[in-house]
Amino acid sequence: MSRVLGFVAGAMYALVCVLPAQTVDLPSALARLAEEAEAFRLIAPQTISQETLRQKALKMPRGGFRIGAAASAPRKPVLQKREIVSEYGFGALQESPKAMHELRQVVSVDGRVIRSSRKAREKLALGLRSKGDRVKKRMLEEFAKHGLVGAASDFGQIILLFCKDNIGNYEFAPVREEYAGAEAVFVLRYGPAKDHEELTIFEGRRAVHSGLSGEIWLRKADSRPLRISAASTHKDREVVIRHEIAVEYAMTPHGAMLPVSVVHREYHDELEVTENLFRYAPFRKFAADSEIKFTELPEGLTAP
């Protein structure tokens, strides 16, 4: 798997020159970024998309009976490839109402159909509307059971780091101008302004908290965020674990910038152990989508 990432690395920051202050109206740009984050907070929980996750990961083989020279040789990791298609949305748990999570109903795993897309959409929409946490937690647990390595998630809503209540926790500096396709952008570098500010990454059932820094690509025409990257590092025993994330956003007809794709890579020391590529179909508002008919209730819910 490729070791080249164009969106993070402290060394890269040392190679770019900070743009003159007059090039970017930083207060106005940050105000617009916070506005887009607030629009995401309000609109994203009302939308549903279809997510395709393709994962490549190094995985240690299961133990088994070995004889001869093979018995004494160390086990070597094998490359595992998975593809999971899910109906996808955003929701919060009552126990942590300010934290938005990615919620899924799996449609297929490596081409094997788990349930129809229609039924998955219905169950997801009902789960998102449920008042309790039991159905939402079940969806989080189900996704983690499909053999993914790490099963890292909760990246699509990274824009919420910069909502009006949080944006003051970061320091920003304009560093360069770029093009994102045909769009002219200016790139801001950000990092924590307070030592306690952290990124939370969910690896299966385990929540990992780590400080982060990265870049934000803002369209020069209107300061809308087109790309947000982040890098976080923490230590597990003697292994340095690094996560690198880049999320591409696009404006939707629903009035919010929603994710188009996510690239996530995990490194143990200098070894890349996992690559997750997420792609999203166009988002739609499930409340107004006539294709979604609530004909079946998931366990634990009652009809109104």
Side-chain angles (χ1 to χ4, degrees), residues 33-88:
L33 175 61
E35 288 175 7
E36 294 296 344
E38 292 301 323
F40 184 100
R41 181 189 296 279
L42 292 173
I43 295 171
Q46 305 171 33
T47 65
I48 280 179
S49 182
Q50 187 171 87
E51 174 191 78
T52 300
L53 164 61
R54 293 185 175 92
Q55 182 182 84
K56 298 178 183 178
L58 294 178
K59 186 177 182 180
M60 293 301 297
R62 294 182 178 179
F65 184 69
R66 299 188 298 168
I67 61 175
S72 59
R75 295 182 183 272
K76 295 182 179 180
V78 296
L79 180 63
Q80 171 182 280
K81 297 182 180 181
R82 308 300 306 271
E83 179 178 285
I84 296 184
V85 177
S86 308
E87 293 297 317
Y88 169 90

Side-chain angles (χ1 to χ4, degrees), residues 140-157:
L140 292 171
E141 292 170 357
E142 179 190 349
F143 184 68
K145 290 179 180 178
H146 287 288
L148 292 169
V149 176
S153 61
D154 278 359
F155 299 137
Q157 64 270 39

